[in-house]
Amino acid sequence: MKKFVAVLSAAAMMTSLAACGFTADTANTAASSAETTASAAESTADTAAADSYKVAIVQQLDHASLDEIRVAIEKELDAKAAEKGIKIEYKDFNGQNDATTLNQIGTQVVADGYDAIIPIATLAAQCMTTAAESTKTPVIYAAISDPAAADLTDIDYVTGTSDALNTQSIMDMMFAVQPDIQTVGLLYSNSEANSTTPIAEAKAYLDAKGIAYVEKTGNTNDEIMTAASSMVGQVDAVFTPTDNVVMAAAAAVSETLTKGGIPFYTGADSFVTAGAFATCGVNYTELGTYTADMALDILETGVVPTYHVMDGGIITVNTETAAALGIDYSAFNDLAGQVVEVTTAE
């Protein structure tokens, strides 16, 4: 009987061990399967994340130049999303040219986890750069005339496009069609970083030629209009660089100066479509498109390149304004590879 009980006990033990062995193998197999499923889910999530981006487009204020850039950025992001089969979600923000508002937008954009920020114009770029400092969210600015002067260089998460102005080319244009100019008006905002370098360059050019100049500044639409009106009867031509404050009042300024018989030379083609006489500079639709491409490249590769200076040298002339002023601008053909004729936009 003792032997029989021992045999039964041994058999029971073997059965127990076999059961334990089966349970362990099953658990190991289940764990392995779970790990595989989790890995696949993680891979799917990574792929989805790589194929979907959130972009904040922050416009400093409303005016024709910045509007043109924003529209070009959005159009290119849509085109690239369709071409690559990815999702690019973007949202527009507008700072209304107010630093406090722009800083609030920056805080919101960073908190909401946007993958990239595209600020348009200098103040917007400066505020977004500060906001993104802690997260290193890529900031790809658009239309900064002098990135170094705006303290937007040598920052590892910041780059973009520059619409650096060739001031000498615009001064040469003036004297090509108005060789008898005696006094030039310089109209700009002294709070606009884009104007600092070109105004200094214009003064140096005019000093070298012995031409007098009159400076008028303003920081609101009313101040700019007062400044422009005061130039009538005092100057033979007026120059404004890529100044966002003046651009906001460009249509009214252009009308005032043209009625006063004064050609208005500017730093951007959007001024000319608003009624100014002529410019020599960059195409802002091309600039917006290039900026959007830069942003997407950075999102896909993680590499932030140095900023890009857009090609200029395109002379844009408003034919209606030229006719009103009685100016023959055929001399422009010898100064640029391309002369574009436009009329005043509604």
Side-chain angles (χ1 to χ4, degrees), residues 64-65 170 173-174 178 187 237-241 246-247 249-259 262-280 315-325 327 329 332 340-345:
S65 293
I170 296 179
M173 286 169 56
M174 280 189 186
Q178 292 179 266
L187 177 64
V238 170
F239 167 63
T240 289
V246 180
M247 181 61 231
V253 170
S254 299
E255 183 178 6
T256 295
L257 294 178
T258 301
K259 285 182 176 179
I262 302 170
F264 187 23
Y265 299 83
T266 63
D269 57 1
S270 47
F271 281 87
V272 181
T273 55
F277 169 51
T279 186
C280 181
I315 291 181
T316 305
V317 182
N318 188 311
T319 55
E320 293 174 342
T321 304
L325 293 168
I327 293 180
Y329 56 87
F332 288 165
V340 177
E341 296 180 329
V342 300
T343 55
T344 305

Side-chain angles (χ1 to χ4, degrees), residues 189-246:
S189 168
N190 52 20
S191 66
E192 178 62 48
N194 284 350
S195 293
T196 303
T197 296
I199 288 297
E201 291 172 343
K203 290 178 182 178
Y205 180 103
L206 296 170
D207 286 338
K209 289 182 72 71
I211 303 296
Y213 51 84
V214 173
E215 293 181 75
K216 297 289 182 179
T217 65
N219 292 309
T220 66
N221 277 15
D222 288 343
E223 290 174 355
I224 292 298
M225 282 307 305
T226 299
S229 298
S230 70
M231 287 186 173
V232 175
Q234 292 191 55
V235 301
D236 304 303
V238 170
F239 167 63
T240 289
T242 50
D243 190 300
N244 289 300
V245 177
V246 180

Side-chain angles (χ1 to χ4, degrees), residues 18-318:
C20 288
F22 177 77
T23 302
D25 288 344
T26 302
N28 288 338
T29 301
S32 177
S33 176
E35 288 176 4
T36 301
T37 301
S39 177
E42 184 178 349
S43 176
T44 300
D46 288 343
T47 300
D51 290 344
S52 178
Y53 303 108
K54 285 176 61 180
V55 178
I57 302 172
V58 183
Q59 187 169 328
Q60 182 170 316
L61 73 162
D62 289 313
H63 70 58
S65 293
L66 306 192
D67 292 346
E68 181 181 345
I69 294 168
R70 174 181 49 75
V71 169
I73 290 170
E74 294 172 350
K75 184 176 180 180
E76 182 67 1
L77 290 177
D78 287 339
K80 288 297 184 183
E83 175 188 324
K84 294 175 175 285
I86 60 178
K87 181 180 179 181
I88 303 177
E89 177 186 347
Y90 55 81
K91 184 175 181 180
D92 297 332
F93 300 85
N94 193 305
Q96 302 302 330
N97 210 33
D98 180 77
T100 300
T101 302
L102 286 164
N103 285 328
Q104 291 171 345
I105 290 171
T107 299
Q108 176 187 343
V109 164
V110 170
D112 288 347
Y114 280 83
D115 299 304
I117 309 171
I118 304 179
I120 307 174
T122 304
L123 182 59
Q126 291 168 329
C127 293
M128 295 309 107
T129 296
T130 299
E133 185 175 6
S134 61
T135 60
K136 307 300 181 186
T137 303
V139 175
I140 306 94
Y141 54 72
I144 309 300
S145 296
D146 193 340
D151 295 323
L152 293 171
T153 56
D154 301 323
I155 305 173
D156 58 6
Y157 60 95
V158 177
T159 188
T161 53
S162 171
D163 57 345
L165 191 64
N166 187 330
T167 308
Q168 179 174 332
S169 294
I170 296 179
M171 295 292 110
D172 288 344
M173 286 169 56
M174 280 189 186
F175 289 93
V177 297
Q178 292 179 266
D180 298 326
I181 288 177
Q182 300 297 311
T183 305
V184 173
L186 303 176
L187 177 64
Y188 62 100
S189 168
N190 52 20
S191 66
E192 178 62 48
N194 284 350
S195 293
T196 303
T197 296
I199 288 297
E201 291 172 343
K203 290 178 182 178
Y205 180 103
L206 296 170
D207 286 338
K209 289 182 72 71
I211 303 296
Y213 51 84
V214 173
E215 293 181 75
K216 297 289 182 179
T217 65
N219 292 309
T220 66
N221 277 15
D222 288 343
E223 290 174 355
I224 292 298
M225 282 307 305
T226 299
S229 298
S230 70
M231 287 186 173
V232 175
Q234 292 191 55
V235 301
D236 304 303
V238 170
F239 167 63
T240 289
T242 50
D243 190 300
N244 289 300
V245 177
V246 180
M247 181 61 231
V253 170
S254 299
E255 183 178 6
T256 295
L257 294 178
T258 301
K259 285 182 176 179
I262 302 170
F264 187 23
Y265 299 83
T266 63
D269 57 1
S270 47
F271 281 87
V272 181
T273 55
F277 169 51
T279 186
C280 181
V282 306
N283 181 299
Y284 277 126
T285 296
E286 292 178 2
L287 182 146
T289 301
Y290 194 101
T291 305
D293 289 340
M294 284 187 80
L296 186 55
D297 285 343
I298 291 168
L299 288 171
E300 291 181 329
T301 67
V303 177
V304 179
T306 56
Y307 72 86
H308 176 77
V309 179
M310 298 298 295
D311 293 333
I314 302 171
I315 291 181
T316 305
V317 182
N318 188 311

